[in-house]
Amino acid sequence: MENLSGYRYCIAMKKGRKILNMIVGCLMILISIIFITATVFSCIFMQEFVYYTFLAIFLIIIPLPLFIFGIIGIVSATKRIEVYKGKVIYHIGFKNKEYRMSDIQTSKTKSETYRTGLDYGNIVPIYSYDKLTVFYDKKGKKIFKFGLAYDNVERLKADVNNTQKSIAKQHNKN
């Protein structure tokens, strides 16, 4: 039985980014709740059927995406990995998944380029990039990926590589 009391380090979003995601996520949820509440009260005071139809459409079109993006922002801010001796525990939202260090493999860090902002008719396209490290299980299925917004990713990558090397040495001895 492995000792799980040996907490080593945590991979989590950097504090400034986490605070920004939490504030923006909560603000989006608050705006959607205010919009829904105002719509419901205005439907109660206005007794016209056409008005109900008009507001029901806007009740879904405007606040629902805000609510969904708010939840996504809060969940992404709480995404983290805790590394213990031999164990990796992945927390996202209310779900926890546990992996043994020997079951995880990593890829080489790769840069991912994506388009951000408006391009103004292809005159000035705006691009950004992120250096991603992707972690896989033994079958090659992607488990999780982390970019520049997270602390200690390189440390986990080094631990996974060292574990894989020690496993390879043990197999070569046998």
Side-chain angles (χ1 to χ4, degrees):
M1 178 89 185
E2 296 175 8
N3 181 12
L4 291 180
S5 63
Y7 175 74
R8 293 181 59 198
Y9 57 91
C10 182
I11 297 173
M13 190 175 281
K14 294 179 181 175
K15 288 198 187 271
R17 194 85 171 257
K18 183 185 279 191
I19 291 170
L20 180 67
N21 274 15
M22 294 293 277
I23 290 172
V24 170
C26 290
L27 189 62
M28 285 182 171
I29 291 172
L30 182 67
I31 289 171
S32 67
I33 289 172
I34 289 171
F35 191 86
I36 291 170
T37 306
T39 305
V40 168
F41 280 127
S42 65
C43 282
I44 291 172
F45 293 125
M46 303 295 258
Q47 297 294 325
E48 297 178 22
F49 180 72
V50 174
Y51 190 70
Y52 286 136
T53 307
F54 175 74
L55 285 179
I57 290 171
F58 280 102
L59 188 67
I60 294 171
I61 291 175
I62 295 173
L64 192 60
L66 284 177
F67 188 78
I68 291 170
F69 287 135
I71 295 294
I72 290 171
I74 291 172
V75 167
S76 71
T78 61
K79 176 180 155 182
R80 72 182 189 281
I81 288 183
E82 293 176 352
V83 179
Y84 295 90
K85 290 183 180 177
K87 297 279 185 186
V88 175
I89 301 174
Y90 179 54
H91 303 278
I92 185 161
F94 294 110
K95 295 191 308 186
N96 298 332
K97 293 183 181 179
E98 186 175 304
Y99 302 97
R100 291 184 12 231
M101 187 71 77
S102 61
D103 293 342
I104 298 175
Q105 298 174 351
T106 184
S107 68
K108 294 181 180 177
T109 303
K110 62 179 181 177
S111 292
E112 181 177 281
T113 304
Y114 50 91
R115 192 176 213 146
T116 59
L118 300 173
D119 62 357
Y120 301 110
N122 288 333
I123 297 171
V124 184
I126 301 170
Y127 293 99
S128 184
Y129 77 96
D130 195 3
K131 291 174 94 177
L132 295 177
T133 304
V134 183
F135 297 91
Y136 300 94
D137 63 2
K138 284 184 175 181
K139 297 176 184 176
K141 180 183 171 193
K142 187 182 344 177
I143 303 173
F144 38 81
K145 66 180 180 179
F146 290 99
L148 293 173
Y150 292 87
D151 287 325
N152 294 326
V153 176
E154 292 298 320
R155 190 171 177 184
L156 177 63
K157 183 178 176 182
D159 283 349
V160 167
N161 288 336
N162 289 338
T163 303
Q164 293 301 324
K165 287 177 186 176
S166 67
I167 290 172
K169 284 181 183 179
Q170 288 177 356
H171 285 292
N172 289 338
K173 283 184 179 180
N174 296 333

